[in-house]
Amino acid sequence: VSTQSTGGLESEIRELKLWLTEFENRISEPWKFKGIGLEEYKSNLKSHSDIEKKINQNSEKVSTILNQGEILLNDFDIPSASSDTHHIQNDISSIETRWTNICFKTSERKRINIETWEQWQLYLEKYRYLNKWIEKDFHHDS
């Protein structure tokens, strides 16, 4: 593996780290609910689906860069490039951790979105039941 391929990998790593930062910021933004109806829920699911698509689209790129890094680090033909390989090794490790966290946070966010919707539906059902009971009891006493 030549220094040229090391430079190419470092360039790809820099690009990927920028994308990861952008994406981490996006998935760390708090949800902003504009309403509590079905349309809002569908909108949240669509937004989440878009995030999952972006993850799937970049999954191969992440894997390729991580594999290239591992191959480079396992190649013993590089004469005294220890500072370069150490830097690449740290970047690869950081990318793996960040990617795992992105996938986990995205999955967790979807789970929370679905649970919140289900809890809201349960609340509405209890509210309607209680309202009917109060109305019935109120009209019964009148």
Side-chain angles (χ1 to χ4, degrees):
V1 176
S2 67
T3 15
Q4 185 179 10
S5 63
T6 304
L9 179 60
E10 286 175 333
S11 174
E12 287 183 54
I13 286 173
R14 271 192 305 279
E15 277 181 42
L16 181 58
K17 285 167 67 177
L18 284 172
W19 181 83
L20 287 170
T21 299
E22 229 176 81
F23 207 75
E24 286 165 335
N25 291 338
R26 181 174 176 195
I27 64 170
S28 294
E29 289 175 4
W31 278 331
K32 295 173 186 157
F33 290 97
K34 297 173 190 107
I36 52 174
L38 182 59
E39 289 307 311
E40 179 69 15
Y41 177 65
K42 285 181 180 178
S43 171
N44 282 339
L45 286 180
K46 182 181 179 335
S47 173
H48 186 78
S49 177
D50 293 344
I51 289 171
E52 286 179 325
K53 282 179 190 168
K54 288 223 188 293
I55 287 175
N56 290 334
Q57 289 168 352
N58 285 282
S59 182
E60 188 176 333
K61 181 179 183 178
V62 172
S63 284
T64 300
I65 290 173
L66 292 176
N67 287 336
Q68 287 175 349
E70 290 299 323
I71 290 169
L72 180 73
L73 294 173
N74 291 326
D75 189 347
F76 296 105
D77 294 342
I78 302 173
S80 68
S82 62
S83 66
D84 286 345
T85 55
H86 183 70
H87 184 68
I88 289 173
Q89 189 171 20
N90 287 340
D91 283 343
I92 295 297
S93 177
S94 169
I95 288 169
E96 280 180 310
T97 301
R98 291 170 73 187
W99 183 249
T100 301
N101 285 338
I102 283 173
C103 293
F104 174 77
K105 280 184 177 180
T106 302
S107 158
E108 189 66 7
R109 193 171 172 137
K110 182 177 186 175
R111 184 189 63 76
I112 290 170
N113 189 22
I114 291 169
E115 278 183 13
T116 302
W117 175 254
E118 289 170 353
Q119 289 295 316
W120 178 245
Q121 295 308 303
L122 187 61
Y123 168 79
L124 287 176
E125 186 180 315
K126 288 180 179 183
Y127 170 79
R128 285 189 286 270
Y129 176 77
L130 184 60
N131 227 9
K132 284 180 185 176
W133 181 79
I134 289 172
E135 276 186 26
K136 188 180 107 181
D137 199 44
F138 181 73
H139 289 303
H140 187 274
D141 288 343
S142 297

